[in-house]
Amino acid sequence: MWQFHPYSLLLGFAFCLNLILGLFVLRSIQLTLIRYLLVMIVGCLVWTGFYGFDFLLIDKDWHRFRIYFIHAGIIIATLGGTLSTIGFTLNRQLLTRRMWILLSIQPLLMAMIILFDPLFGTLLQDTHIEIIEGRTQWVQVLALPGQIVELGGSTIWSCYIAYLILKSILNTRAPARNQFYLILVSFIVLWTTTVFHVLGVRPFPGLALAPVTLSVQVLIFFFAIGYYRMFDLVPLVRGEIVDELDDPVVILDGRNRVIDWNIVAEQLFADGRRYLTLSSTEVFFQSYPELSQKIQNLSEKRNLIQWRWESKDPLRDWDVRVKRVRDRYRISIGLVVVFRDITDQKKLESQMVDANRSLSYANATKDRFLSIISHDLRGPLAGIKVLLKILNEKVKEEDTEIYEMTKSLVDASESVFSLLENLLEWSKLQRGQEEFHPNFTNVNDIVNETIYLFELNAKTKSIQIQNSIPTHATVFCDDQMILTVLRNFLSNAIKFSYNSSSIRIEAEEEGMMWRIKVIDSGVGISADILKKLFHVGETIKSIGTQGENGSGIGLLLCQEFVERNQGKIRVESEIGRGSVFSFTLCKTAFPLDTSE
């Protein structure tokens, strides 16, 4: 017989509440605490579902079947409540094999009682129909074995739950302690309701309120866990971190409880241990207490903290980065700890330090060597060059043979001295010791000074040097650098020009630049050698018209100096038709690089 009963609506609401909560927490089923909570929810679903259905359908054949499921649901809910409390109070270490045996005793005994009830009445002593407040409903009386297993077992586990909660309250600081108060109050309401029902004090005649209060307790459990934002934290972090990462990753909640980790972290820290979800840092990092202490003492204000740590087994160096995760209200809801193996990096850094030390020593030795060359070799060589020139002039009219010999010595000394000058300038430039002081300079002044330096060389080969630079040609440059460029260009022009030829130095305007050219009609340069010019590492060997040597080092220096003055260098040449070496310089001032 079907009937409408208001109690079925109340139990139906409790059933739907449990169903919604169960479906919601399924997305976080990888957490052990959530699995325990699901056991409790399943027990409530079975209890409230069959209890509510028993009010709707008055049927003798199906009544006893529904009663069996109701009491099975009570036992399952008790088991889930015990497990949830153990997990929530961070007492997972209590779940030993002996504890699991104790937890399984009540469900096994209830299964046996239900199995033998049809034959021996082990669960129900009596069940009959009564009219209560004008509505028909079943009333049953539990047999003694059923009372001992159900009420006695639930009482024992309830006392154990109360002990765990009170212990956590005493060992926890506010505000986290408030959550344990909330759980304790919910259990007290459930126990009070059950005791009053057994004693016959029933606010709703004919209805046991225990399944309803237990459903409310599930909701409170859910709220207490949600307070620590575990359902927000895990999806948020899991979206960024995958198990395939090579770096160990550990996720902690707002109370520094470990709620998730990847495979690499499990290999490093778990060491084959199980049931570590929601464990404290002391338990999870038990082999590395210094890590646990460091994490517990982290500043609440800093979002990113980093330090280096050395593990003993295996012996590795790690870069530890801790990112504090906050919700939209900037409240800390957890930590993400990432360990990056830097063992190889530290070895490489050590090797780099050794290499840098060796390089510094080599550079110091090179600088010392160049200093010796600059001070101890350059001066005497310059003196020898001048003396040879004087000697060459004196023997010119007296002895032709000696004159030719001294002339060769003058040319050789000029070549060696020019090479030495270029090497010293190049080394200073590479070491950053070359001073750069640009200003407005008349090109004519630089060209005239350069021509003066090579008057004797040109006279020796009867070469005429023509200065065709406009008198108004003014550029912004470092005059000493450009003097070096023109010195090299003019030296090369004389070196590779025939006797009794001419060299022209010209300048033409190109927009905001002046292009300065050194033009000769000498031997010219082949296409293959043109490609090698201005490239470091290329070997260039050339012989002048009177056996002078050329290495190309001076041109590299010229390119550096011209580019330093914001210009561009260019060479045009053809075998047998001479060469044109040119470069551009700015008419106006350019911004200086203050970083140098």
Side-chain angles (χ1 to χ4, degrees):
M1 179 183 70
W2 291 92
Q3 67 170 356
F4 169 77
H5 202 293
Y7 291 170
S8 63
L9 292 178
L10 181 61
L11 293 169
F13 171 77
F15 177 86
C16 292
L17 177 64
N18 284 283
L19 182 62
I20 292 172
L21 292 177
L23 294 175
F24 186 79
V25 300
L26 274 176
R27 64 176 183 170
S28 300
I29 197 171
Q30 73 271 19
L31 299 176
T32 306
L33 177 58
I34 299 304
R35 293 198 288 269
Y36 294 161
L37 190 60
L38 279 173
V39 174
M40 187 175 178
I41 291 174
V42 169
C44 291
L45 284 172
V46 174
W47 189 356
T48 56
F50 282 95
Y51 195 18
F53 199 73
D54 201 46
F55 281 103
L56 290 176
L57 179 61
I58 305 299
D59 187 298
K60 185 177 181 180
D61 297 331
W62 288 98
H63 170 65
R64 187 173 289 271
F65 175 78
R66 291 194 294 269
I67 290 298
Y68 293 157
F69 271 95
I70 289 172
H71 290 279
I74 293 172
I75 301 303
I76 295 172
T78 301
L79 175 63
T82 305
L83 290 173
S84 298
T85 304
I86 291 174
F88 192 77
T89 55
L90 297 179
N91 287 295
R92 293 282 304 284
Q93 72 278 1
L94 298 176
L95 291 175
T96 60
R97 181 176 298 180
R98 180 178 298 178
M99 175 60 76
W100 282 109
I101 293 174
L102 292 175
L103 287 169
S104 63
I105 290 177
Q106 187 184 24
L108 290 175
L109 289 176
M110 179 55 69
M112 294 176 61
I113 288 174
I114 292 174
L115 183 64
F116 290 109
D117 181 69
L119 298 177
F120 305 106
T122 51
L123 179 63
L124 295 177
Q125 178 180 331
D126 179 39
T127 178
H128 57 276
I129 296 176
E130 289 186 5
I131 306 297
I132 299 177
E133 294 188 348
R135 295 182 180 87
T136 304
Q137 67 180 66
W138 288 99
V139 176
Q140 54 273 338
V141 179
L142 288 180
L144 183 61
Q147 292 183 22
I148 293 175
V149 172
E150 184 174 293
L151 297 178
S154 297
T155 300
I156 292 173
W157 288 120
S158 296
C159 293
Y160 185 70
I161 288 171
Y163 164 74
L164 292 179
I165 296 176
L166 290 173
K167 182 180 177 182
S168 296
I169 291 174
L170 294 175
N171 296 332
T172 307
R173 297 180 179 179
R177 181 185 299 169
N178 297 334
Q179 299 307 298
F180 294 114
Y181 283 135
L182 189 62
I183 297 296
L184 181 62
V185 169
S186 67
F187 271 110
I188 290 175
V189 172
L190 174 62
W191 299 330
T192 303
T193 303
T194 303
V195 170
F196 281 177
H197 181 78
V198 172
L199 296 177
V201 180
R202 301 169 184 176
F204 299 92
L207 175 67
L209 286 176
V212 179
T213 54
L214 184 60
S215 300
V216 174
Q217 186 182 29
V218 172
L219 181 62
I220 293 174
F221 250 112
F222 178 79
F223 173 78
I225 298 174
Y227 178 81
Y228 293 102
R229 314 307 298 268
M230 290 170 58
F231 300 109
D232 291 340
L233 182 62
V234 173
L236 177 65
V237 178
R238 274 316 231 180
E240 303 292 335
I241 301 172
V242 292
D243 283 337
E244 284 74 14
L245 285 176
D246 294 331
D247 298 330
V249 179
V250 180
I251 308 170
L252 290 78
D253 67 1
R255 292 177 57 203
N256 286 340
R257 300 182 302 183
V258 179
I259 62 174
D260 204 6
W261 58 89
N262 66 354
I263 296 174
V264 187
E266 183 171 341
Q267 295 170 351
L268 181 62
F269 300 114
D271 194 26
R273 293 177 294 156
R274 302 173 61 192
Y275 314 121
L276 291 175
T277 304
L278 279 180
S279 62
S280 63
T281 55
E282 291 94 338
V283 175
F284 190 83
F285 300 112
Q286 67 176 13
S287 300
Y288 307 103
E290 70 278 6
L291 264 182
S292 173
Q293 184 177 4
K294 180 73 175 180
I295 292 173
Q296 290 178 1
N297 294 330
L298 293 178
S299 171
E300 286 280 346
K301 297 180 180 179
R302 297 178 60 185
N303 289 330
L304 182 62
I305 304 170
Q306 182 177 358
W307 73 90
R308 288 195 173 185
W309 167 67
E310 181 181 287
S311 62
K312 302 301 181 183
D313 186 20
L315 185 60
R316 309 290 290 177
D317 292 296
W318 303 89
D319 178 62
V320 186
R321 297 191 178 191
V322 180
K323 178 70 172 68
R324 189 170 295 280
V325 183
R326 301 182 185 274
D327 61 11
R328 59 180 179 175
Y329 303 109
R330 306 304 300 161
I331 298 174
S332 176
I333 59 175
L335 300 172
V336 181
V337 187
V338 181
F339 300 82
R340 187 167 62 89
D341 191 342
I342 58 170
T343 306
D344 295 336
Q345 178 184 326
K346 284 197 68 176
K347 291 180 180 178
L348 183 60
E349 287 176 355
S350 177
Q351 293 172 1
M352 289 178 64
V353 169
D354 294 338
N356 285 334
R357 189 180 296 113
S358 300
L359 286 174
S360 298
Y361 179 77
N363 278 331
T365 304
K366 180 195 68 176
D367 292 345
R368 177 62 179 163
F369 175 71
L370 291 173
S371 177
I372 292 172
I373 292 176
S374 177
H375 294 90
D376 299 345
L377 186 60
R378 186 173 179 272
L381 188 58
I384 291 172
K385 183 184 72 168
V386 172
L387 289 174
L388 284 172
K389 284 184 178 181
I390 296 172
L391 180 61
N392 181 254
E393 289 294 328
K394 283 187 176 293
V395 301
K396 184 175 182 181
E397 303 295 335
E398 300 175 4
D399 192 325
T400 305
E401 186 178 353
I402 295 178
Y403 169 75
E404 291 297 330
M405 292 173 61
T406 55
K407 182 175 177 298
S408 297
L409 289 173
V410 168
D411 292 339
S413 65
E414 286 283 357
S415 178
V416 172
F417 189 78
S418 177
L419 177 60
L420 179 61
E421 285 282 305
N422 287 333
L423 284 173
L424 291 175
E425 291 288 347
W426 173 262
S427 66
K428 286 172 65 178
L429 186 66
Q430 297 304 310
R431 288 179 291 156
Q433 295 179 356
E434 186 69 41
E435 295 182 355
F436 182 57
H437 301 294
N439 48 57
F440 287 101
T441 306
N442 188 279
V443 179
N444 243 317
D445 295 339
I446 303 176
V447 171
N448 288 330
E449 185 177 351
T450 307
I451 293 174
Y452 175 76
L453 293 173
F454 290 93
E455 278 184 348
L456 182 58
N457 301 64
K459 187 178 179 181
T460 302
K461 298 180 73 170
S462 300
I463 295 174
Q464 291 186 354
I465 303 175
Q466 301 174 7
N467 181 0
S468 302
I469 302 292
T471 56
H472 66 279
T474 303
V475 293
F476 186 73
C477 67
D478 185 306
D479 54 352
Q480 293 303 311
M481 287 187 176
I482 301 307
L483 181 63
T484 302
V485 174
L486 283 171
R487 189 188 71 210
N488 275 278
F489 281 6
L490 190 54
S491 174
N492 288 337
I494 295 172
K495 187 185 303 180
F496 296 103
S497 291
Y498 297 105
N499 291 347
S500 302
S501 61
S502 63
I503 298 171
R504 300 191 320 273
I505 303 177
E506 301 177 351
E508 60 182 30
E509 294 185 81
E510 292 184 0
M512 299 303 295
M513 312 286 284
W514 276 101
R515 178 170 294 277
I516 303 166
K517 300 179 180 180
V518 178
I519 307 168
D520 66 66
S521 54
V523 297
I525 305 172
S526 67
D528 291 337
I529 295 180
L530 275 176
K531 294 178 182 177
K532 296 180 180 181
L533 295 179
F534 310 114
H535 291 287
V536 179
E538 293 289 351
T539 302
I540 301 173
K541 293 293 183 181
S542 56
I543 306 297
T545 54
Q546 291 188 352
E548 304 98 329
N549 292 319
S551 63
I553 294 177
L555 293 179
L556 292 174
L557 182 64
C558 292
Q559 184 184 36
E560 294 278 359
F561 280 175
V562 169
E563 291 180 353
R564 185 74 180 274
N565 286 273
Q566 306 297 312
K568 296 292 183 182
I569 198 168
R570 188 170 72 193
V571 181
E572 303 168 58
S573 186
E574 190 175 337
I575 291 292
R577 303 187 64 178
S579 305
V580 178
F581 283 79
S582 65
F583 59 95
T584 57
L585 292 174
C586 297
K587 293 180 180 179
T588 57
F590 50 80
L592 300 181
D593 187 358
T594 58
S595 63
E596 297 182 358

